[in-house]
Amino acid sequence: MSEVLANNSVVPFVLGVVIGVPSIILYTIEAIVLLRNWSKFSSAFFRLCLVRFITNFLNYLISYFYVRFGRVGLFVELLESMPHVVLSIAVFLYYYNYFGENLATMFILLNRFTVILMPVRHIKLWKYFLPISVFVIFLLPIPFTCIDWFYEFYVLRQPDNWTYTLYFDKADYLPFINVSNIAAIAGIVFCVFCLVLNIATIVIYRLNHGRIMALPDYDAPEP
């Protein structure tokens, strides 16, 4: 069963490097600044930003191993020599961090929504909701992605003998779960949810602009 189709296309790979590398560098700088100035940036919002950095950073790095190298035929011999379990772990981590990154983004937007909707109770609310959010971000993706641990992945060269495709086999007793399809559907759900949340935040902000501007900084570091 095919998991990743190699298309022998250099352009997407180059675009991914040109756009992705500067972005991941900026994310890293952001994380360093937050950690070095933790006394100023210790609110729930910035903690969620750090959580998203972890999932984003790992997802981007693993995407090279899982998808991008295959498109341009890099490290084929190395990947062919790797045990099946290493490829299974890479596929699992790719989708796991994909779900985690989307969930982290969702909770960041939810945090911004609550600070506009209920600025007075915002800090108290997230004092309890932040641990739940982190718990959901790191644990919820597991049921949707853990099946990849049990599939046997291997590298299959394309007819050009340059690019490769990741294939997998499964034992007869295992169900077939297409994690790629689940990730695609989840991506649409996350996108719609975040769009609605952004629109709701803008609407509430415009309705309560005067009252919010008169309030103190409720995104200050938590005691």
Side-chain angles (χ1 to χ4, degrees):
M1 298 178 183
S2 175
E3 179 68 17
V4 179
L5 180 61
N7 54 16
N8 193 11
S9 179
V10 177
V11 175
F13 179 83
V14 174
L15 288 176
V17 173
V18 172
I19 298 174
V21 171
S23 298
I24 208 68
I25 291 174
L26 289 175
Y27 267 120
T28 304
I29 294 173
E30 176 190 76
I32 293 173
V33 170
L34 293 179
L35 291 173
R36 286 187 173 181
N37 300 274
W38 190 246
S39 60
K40 298 179 180 178
F41 302 112
S42 60
S43 66
F45 172 77
F46 294 112
R47 296 186 188 195
L48 287 171
C49 286
L50 285 175
V51 171
R52 185 176 64 175
F53 164 75
I54 295 172
T55 56
N56 178 270
F57 185 82
L58 292 175
N59 186 44
Y60 183 72
L61 290 183
I62 296 170
S63 70
Y64 279 91
F65 180 78
Y66 174 51
V67 179
R68 301 175 193 271
F69 287 154
R71 290 176 174 172
V72 292
L74 293 175
F75 307 111
V76 180
E77 292 81 6
L78 175 63
L79 293 172
E80 284 180 326
S81 65
M82 286 186 174
H84 298 306
V85 65
V86 175
L87 298 177
S88 299
I89 292 173
V91 175
F92 163 76
L93 289 176
Y94 175 77
Y95 286 112
Y96 172 83
N97 286 292
Y98 169 82
F99 281 102
E101 182 181 355
N102 280 286
L103 286 168
T105 301
M106 182 187 72
F107 282 116
I108 287 174
L109 293 178
L110 188 61
N111 178 275
R112 296 297 83 191
F113 174 75
T114 56
V115 79
I116 299 297
L117 180 65
M118 49 184 74
V120 176
R121 292 177 292 172
H122 170 74
I123 291 181
K124 184 176 181 180
L125 172 67
W126 280 90
K127 181 179 180 181
Y128 300 101
F129 197 53
L130 178 63
I132 297 175
S133 302
V134 175
F135 180 86
V136 171
I137 291 169
F138 286 113
L139 292 185
L140 184 59
I142 293 177
F144 301 100
T145 56
C146 65
I147 190 65
D148 284 330
W149 278 93
F150 303 98
Y151 291 161
E152 189 174 85
F153 286 86
Y154 58 93
V155 172
L156 181 66
R157 288 183 184 244
Q158 295 296 300
D160 59 15
N161 200 34
W162 182 44
T163 57
Y164 67 85
T165 298
L166 278 184
Y167 273 72
F168 70 89
D169 286 329
K170 70 178 186 66
D172 294 336
Y173 62 86
L174 288 174
F176 171 66
I177 300 176
N178 194 323
V179 181
S180 298
N181 288 346
I182 296 175
I185 295 172
I188 296 174
V189 173
F190 284 130
C191 183
V192 172
F193 181 85
C194 291
L195 177 62
V196 172
L197 201 55
N198 274 322
I199 294 174
T201 301
I202 293 173
V203 171
I204 293 175
Y205 175 78
R206 289 187 176 276
L207 292 175
N208 299 328
H209 178 68
R211 182 172 64 88
I212 293 173
M213 293 299 293
L215 291 171
D217 182 9
Y218 283 99
D219 202 34
E222 298 172 5

